[in-house]
Amino acid sequence: MKRTFLLALSVLFCSLVCSQATIQGIVFEDLNNNGIKDRKEKGLEGVAVSNGRDVVLTDQNGNYNLQVGNDNIIFVIKPSGYKVPVNRNNQPSFYYIHKPQGSPRHFKFAGVQPTGATPKSVDFPLLPGDVEEEFTALVFGDPQPYTQQEVDYFYRGIVEELIGIKGISFGLSLGDLVGDDLSLHSHYISAVSRIGLPWYNVIGNHDINYEATADSLSDESFEANFGPANYSFNYGKAHFLILDDILYPDPRDGQGYWGGFRPEQMEFIKNNLQYVPKDRLIVLAFHIPFRNTEAAYRLSDRQAIFDMLKDFERVLVLSAHTHYQRNDLFTDADGWRGKHPLHEYNAGTTSGDWYSGLPNEQNVPSSTMRDGTPKGYAFLKVIGTEYSIDYKVAGKPAEYQIQIHAPKFLRANYRTSARIYANFFMGRKDSKVEYRINGGQWQPMTYTEDEDPLYVGKLYEWDTSDKMIPYRRPSHPVISTHLWRAPAPANMPPGKYTIEVRATDMFGKQHFATHVITIE
């Protein structure tokens, strides 16, 4: 009996102690970029390092130590004025995975192999760089290829036109990097690496391990391929906070997923933000957008995030997931108490409407999104704590920001029910959108919550065609949040009439588009 008691006591003691260890190391300035701290290279004081929950600052010699269990990723939070090394695929190398037993082995897609004993020291090199008070980041929503052919569509339709782009500090993909087949992660990585930028990634609901019975295990393959799903870094006066906001399995019923966060994620956010000055721009990036509906997002989690961020100078949220584009502002009515309204940019996607539609100029599916926004990507430009966002339609000039839908021909001296529609891709309800005819006076267009008529027309080509169309039928339309209308010219004599549309975005930039109507 005594022997059995001692054995049980030793097992209990080991479960409490053996699973806990301490990882220590140094953050240093890697002057020769060899990844090793040489004798003349100094440790860096005051740099934040995290285990995914706790956050500590390095001491005057650059040393840190953190407790770890059996499932931690240790990562350095890049300070402004430094760069992190990148691997051969341009993935930032800022973390160490600590999983002594590895990921669950029964998962369909492999996770992390056992990492073994705790290393004597986990060191993080940082490369000297400039403090970028002004910088631009490239933002992708949902590449989401389900097949190798769709990886090729992504590469030819998006990546090829960006290879070698200059003046961009880094790239960021907002989740759904692939579509359920996690073996395609490597092909996605290879494609994006060709752009030639350091590239950060967010986990999406199509990047998770569906065999997971606990949310903490749903990101095992993502971690093996990309590192931590929750992390942060600094550029200039901006602090980027990257989060996994997918609760899987859904804690309400064990089925599907729900937008929200686990308690240890909330701890990381709080511990991370305590070291960020309040005069910084906070850029929060995750996959599922905030919405005013408990069905889609656990609103208590959203409110907790609001409360932690309210004292910062300015806050921007980047999300994707929906496969349409919108700009939302959260205010007091939504529980936001910050100095400025909280802006969420729900980004248009690089896959558009899941690679549907007829081929475009790049000979890949046009993939116009369900709200009429063509597929593309965005540029986030930051100056100090101010920012602006430019959406770029793939394969089109940067100036292409408005799509006009109107008749090409009208009958002379005759009444018409025809309308002019303007889909202003970066617009929102309070945007100023005007039109004029043949250089006349500018007149306001009427904001309308409706389906984009051009998208609807292209959709029904599939239903009215007399022969099989060998491409994916577009999805059903949704109500666009950036659509305006005006009456078409009526009772006019024959001639050509140029319709001009002028729109001003939320950053004060003006955009123009034209359309010609022939009256016969």
Side-chain angles (χ1 to χ4, degrees):
M1 177 68 73
K2 183 177 180 181
R3 182 179 179 183
T4 304
F5 174 76
L6 290 174
L7 179 62
L9 187 63
S10 65
V11 170
L12 175 63
F13 178 79
C14 188
S15 68
L16 294 174
V17 177
C18 297
S19 62
Q20 292 292 320
T22 298
I23 279 185
Q24 61 185 7
I26 186 169
V27 179
F28 65 96
E29 188 174 41
D30 191 9
L31 297 175
N32 58 6
N33 194 17
N34 67 353
I36 301 171
K37 186 183 181 305
D38 299 313
R39 189 173 64 178
K40 293 183 179 180
E41 292 175 336
K42 66 177 182 179
L44 296 172
E45 181 181 4
V47 177
V49 186
S50 178
N51 59 10
R53 183 188 63 199
D54 306 312
V55 179
V56 298
L57 298 181
T58 55
D59 65 16
Q60 61 183 1
N61 297 314
N63 297 306
Y64 75 90
N65 64 77
L66 283 161
Q67 276 200 329
V68 291
N70 289 321
D71 185 4
N72 289 97
I73 300 183
I74 309 300
F75 58 91
V76 64
I77 298 174
K78 185 192 83 68
S80 296
Y82 287 90
K83 299 177 182 179
V84 294
V86 295
N87 64 18
R88 62 187 180 87
N89 287 316
N90 285 315
Q91 294 177 290
S93 300
F94 63 97
Y95 60 89
Y96 169 77
I97 299 178
H98 177 73
K99 291 180 187 283
Q101 283 115 36
S103 299
R105 297 184 182 182
H106 68 281
F107 282 3
K108 179 179 179 181
F109 300 105
V112 177
Q113 296 300 310
T115 57
T118 305
K120 182 178 179 181
S121 184
V122 175
D123 300 339
F124 293 109
L126 293 177
L127 310 178
D130 298 324
V131 178
E132 297 176 296
E133 292 290 325
E134 179 177 337
F135 66 90
T136 301
L138 182 55
V139 180
F140 283 3
D142 296 52
Q144 204 171 343
Y146 284 84
T147 63
Q148 184 60 55
Q149 183 183 53
E150 290 183 349
V151 173
D152 180 60
Y153 289 157
F154 168 64
Y155 180 78
R156 290 193 290 119
I158 299 292
V159 171
E160 274 191 345
E161 69 178 65
L162 290 166
I163 293 174
I165 189 170
K166 304 298 182 184
I168 308 298
S169 296
F170 63 91
L172 173 66
S173 291
L174 298 171
D176 283 0
L177 312 176
V178 298
D180 298 333
D181 182 354
L182 306 190
S183 69
L184 294 175
H185 273 158
S186 61
H187 300 281
Y188 158 80
I189 292 168
S190 178
V192 170
S193 71
R194 296 289 300 279
I195 297 174
L197 298 173
W199 206 274
Y200 294 93
N201 293 282
V202 173
I203 191 172
N205 57 288
H206 290 282
D207 297 309
I208 61 179
N209 297 98
Y210 291 130
E211 300 89 346
T213 56
D215 182 52
S216 60
L217 296 174
S218 65
D219 58 358
E220 295 295 306
S221 293
F222 181 90
E223 291 180 341
N225 296 321
F226 302 100
N230 302 279
Y231 59 98
S232 59
F233 56 89
N234 297 278
Y235 268 86
K237 291 186 177 179
H239 181 76
F240 286 78
L241 183 54
I242 314 299
L243 298 172
D244 168 9
D245 71 339
I246 302 137
L247 294 170
Y248 178 87
D250 187 332
R252 294 171 294 187
D253 58 10
Q255 304 294 318
Y257 59 87
W258 193 19
F261 303 94
R262 300 189 307 274
E264 59 265 35
Q265 292 177 280
M266 289 294 192
E267 285 295 308
F268 166 63
I269 298 167
K270 181 183 71 173
N271 294 333
N272 173 77
L273 290 176
Q274 70 176 319
Y275 297 119
V276 181
K278 294 296 189 292
D279 63 351
R280 295 299 192 260
L281 164 68
I282 303 295
V283 182
L284 192 65
F286 44 62
H287 183 62
I288 301 176
F290 284 150
R291 285 287 185 270
N292 286 315
T293 165
E294 184 74 14
Y297 219 98
R298 188 155 64 187
L299 295 184
S300 59
D301 289 356
R302 190 186 76 173
Q303 187 60 53
I305 298 290
F306 282 179
D307 293 343
M308 284 190 273
L309 294 172
K310 64 182 176 63
D311 294 327
F312 286 90
E313 176 66 22
R314 193 174 291 277
V315 178
L316 167 66
V317 173
L318 301 175
S319 62
H321 183 59
T322 61
H323 293 260
Y324 47 79
Q325 182 158 269
R326 56 187 291 162
N327 288 281
D328 290 325
L329 295 180
F330 294 88
T331 62
D332 280 350
D334 308 297
W336 171 249
R337 305 287 185 260
K339 179 179 177 182
H340 305 283
L342 183 148
H343 173 208
E344 179 174 27
Y345 172 53
N346 188 214
T349 60
T350 52
S351 60
D353 179 56
W354 296 277
Y355 302 104
S356 68
L358 295 173
N360 59 14
E361 294 85 348
Q362 290 81 38
N363 199 32
V364 298
S366 54
S367 308
T368 298
M369 287 174 272
R370 296 169 290 161
D371 64 346
T373 306
K375 72 177 179 184
Y377 45 88
F379 293 98
L380 169 64
K381 184 174 184 178
V382 177
I383 303 176
T385 59
E386 299 294 322
Y387 68 89
S388 62
I389 299 171
D390 293 301
Y391 185 67
K392 169 68 170 60
V393 174
K396 296 289 186 181
E399 296 75 26
Y400 180 58
Q401 299 290 322
I402 305 167
Q403 173 66 56
I404 298 176
H405 177 68
K408 294 181 180 179
F409 295 93
L410 287 173
R411 185 175 173 182
N413 301 309
Y414 202 79
R415 293 178 63 189
T416 179
S417 60
R419 290 175 172 173
I420 302 164
Y421 285 89
N423 193 329
F424 176 32
F425 310 136
M426 277 297 290
R428 46 172 283 111
K429 187 175 182 178
D430 57 2
S431 298
K432 186 178 181 180
V433 180
E434 306 162 289
Y435 80 111
R436 68 180 179 181
I437 302 174
N438 281 356
Q441 292 294 316
W442 289 105
Q443 302 176 65
M445 298 186 76
T446 301
Y447 176 77
T448 180
E449 294 184 352
D450 204 349
E451 297 169 351
D452 179 84
L454 186 61
Y455 180 85
V456 172
K458 291 183 177 180
L459 167 64
Y460 288 116
E461 289 179 17
W462 262 253
D463 300 337
T464 57
S465 175
D466 293 329
K467 59 182 179 180
M468 178 67 182
I469 300 177
Y471 296 94
R472 182 180 176 274
R473 184 184 189 272
S475 304
H476 290 299
V478 297
I479 300 299
S480 178
T481 60
H482 38 78
L483 188 65
W484 284 259
R485 71 169 187 250
N491 297 318
M492 303 286 281
K496 289 189 180 294
Y497 294 82
T498 299
I499 311 298
E500 294 176 86
V501 173
R502 177 175 70 182
T504 305
D505 65 25
M506 61 188 299
F507 310 107
K509 291 176 284 189
Q510 287 192 332
H511 308 276
F512 298 87
T514 60
H515 177 86
V516 175
I517 296 178
T518 300
I519 298 183
E520 296 181 349

